[in-house]
Amino acid sequence: MKEIVVISGKGGTGKTSITAAFATLAKNIVVADCDVDAADLHLVLSPQIERTEDFTGGKCARIEPGLCMGCGKCESICRFEAVSLNGPANDLIAKTYLIDPTECEGCGVCAKFCPTDAIVMEDDVSGQWFVSRTHVGPMVHAKLKAGGENSGKLVTLIRNESRSIAESVGADIVLTDGPPGTGCPVIASLTGASMAVIVTEPTMSGVHDLKRVAELVEYFKIPASLIINKCDINSDKSDEIAGFAESHNIEMLGRLPYDPDVTKAQIAGMSITQYSDNNISRLIRDIWGQLEHKE
Ligand code: SF4
Ligand code: SF4
């Protein structure tokens, strides 16, 4: 079983559209949507959820009002300004304090120094993850709450679950839609993968972000290949990117031209290869044929 991770140095390169097209061309796969901060692969694959689990990203502090003596120590030592005065209390306690869960980083310092042990550290449920059925095979995906933390940890969880499902159903490939960028979630989606497919576009920022993501795959020694999407919007930049790939041992998989049918397919909730058998679909079929047989 091999794991192909589709990544891009930045958002908006067409990474997910290409992943969706691969998914609908593949024969025996498990799909992992690791773009957990902006998941949208489900819009094409229409998963039927079969299992839902809470994702606990970390801890969050909460004050037990009955135990608090209103000393204010937690407010003074919280570096994240998550604690604030909550007004007067009663005849015994002059004031009470409140912890804002959206500001709390879960460091636990307040709980350690509270003189009355009034602060409890609770699991912070920052989203859900799902195992679903789709017409292309099982899919593992997630939904983080707005501002949900620890997406790198969630990416690792999704990958582990996808691999375990792939082993149990005898799938040949785990196809992963990786997060954009080069941060912690991308690293979590790449480590130990069989290969990375980088999707870029011929713009200044595309070139800049490609260089950063290329450093990452080089560092983790992951065999990488490249797709230049919308290659015809700037042929010179496309050539520059192809030259960069060649000099960095990144295999060129193909150049895809700009095609308005890709947007029409998205609107119709389909992959481009389902929507039309046009030139770009044929090029993507050819690329998937190369990837499928790579060891
Ligand atoms: S440190 Fe403890 S006792 Fe003091 S205000 Fe905070 S919660 Fe209350
Ligand atoms: S756990 Fe840390 S971040 Fe949260 S309220 Fe306490 S000191 Fe502040």
Side-chain angles (χ1 to χ4, degrees):
M1 188 256 296
K2 64 185 172 191
E3 191 178 2
I4 302 174
V5 184
V6 187
I7 53 171
S8 59
K10 67 191 261 306
T13 60
K15 169 182 64 66
T16 299
S17 296
I18 290 171
T19 311
F22 288 162
T24 50
L25 291 170
K27 301 271 177 335
N28 186 19
I29 58 165
V30 172
V31 179
D33 189 352
C34 289
D35 191 354
V36 293
D37 288 298
D40 51 12
L41 197 54
H42 62 279
L43 299 175
V44 175
L45 299 184
S46 305
Q48 305 294 307
I49 294 173
E50 293 184 327
R51 197 174 126 209
T52 301
E53 304 276 352
D54 281 342
F55 169 62
T56 304
K59 296 280 183 186
C60 186
R62 183 178 59 79
I63 296 174
E64 286 279 4
L67 297 176
C68 173
M69 66 173 191
C71 68
K73 186 150 193 149
C74 50
E75 185 192 28
S76 64
I77 59 174
C78 176
R79 289 194 298 121
F80 302 98
E81 298 183 356
V83 188
S84 58
L85 192 61
N86 193 34
N90 50 44
D91 292 347
L92 298 173
I93 306 168
K95 21 185 198 173
T96 58
Y97 289 83
L98 188 71
I99 294 175
D100 180 348
T102 62
E103 298 294 332
C104 175
E105 292 285 323
C107 68
V109 171
C110 56
K112 191 169 168 56
F113 288 97
C114 171
T116 59
D117 290 332
I119 300 177
V120 285
M121 300 302 297
E122 297 179 326
D123 284 344
D124 181 23
V125 177
S126 49
Q128 269 88 39
W129 60 277
F130 315 99
V131 177
S132 298
R133 189 163 31 90
T134 76
H135 63 283
V136 303
M139 175 174 177
V140 186
H141 51 123
K143 190 170 169 42
L144 266 182
K145 283 185 196 162
E149 296 286 338
N150 261 323
S151 49
K153 187 176 165 190
L154 181 55
V155 164
T156 302
L157 197 156
I158 290 175
R159 282 187 70 202
N160 289 343
E161 189 66 24
S162 305
R163 284 200 204 113
S164 138
I165 292 172
E167 272 162 23
S168 67
V169 301
D172 298 325
I173 296 173
V174 173
L175 177 65
T176 299
D177 187 18
T182 53
C184 177
V186 183
I187 294 168
S189 76
L190 278 175
T191 43
S194 318
M195 63 185 86
V197 176
I198 305 169
V199 178
T200 191
E201 59 179 18
T203 58
M204 288 283 280
S205 61
V207 174
H208 174 262
D209 294 324
L210 165 66
K211 289 179 178 170
R212 291 170 60 218
V213 87
E215 270 176 27
L216 207 59
V217 291
E218 205 169 10
Y219 181 81
F220 286 106
K221 297 187 172 40
I222 295 168
S225 49
L226 180 73
I227 297 171
I228 306 178
N229 196 21
K230 305 174 201 155
C231 62
D232 48 348
I233 62 172
N234 188 333
S235 304
D236 289 344
K237 275 269 172 280
S238 288
D239 291 344
E240 183 186 332
I241 288 171
F244 173 84
E246 195 177 351
S247 63
H248 284 75
N249 209 20
I250 297 173
E251 184 189 351
M252 191 68 197
L253 282 174
R255 301 187 190 208
L256 302 176
Y258 171 75
D259 189 330
D261 275 359
V262 174
T263 309
K264 289 181 194 160
Q266 281 169 351
I267 292 166
M270 299 165 86
S271 74
I272 181 63
T273 43
Q274 291 173 304
Y275 183 78
S276 163
D277 191 27
N278 61 6
N279 180 39
I280 192 168
S281 291
R282 286 191 288 276
L283 290 168
I284 292 174
R285 274 179 213 285
D286 174 60
I287 291 172
W288 178 249
Q290 297 176 55
L291 280 173
E292 220 176 6
H293 297 108
K294 252 183 214 311
E295 287 307 322

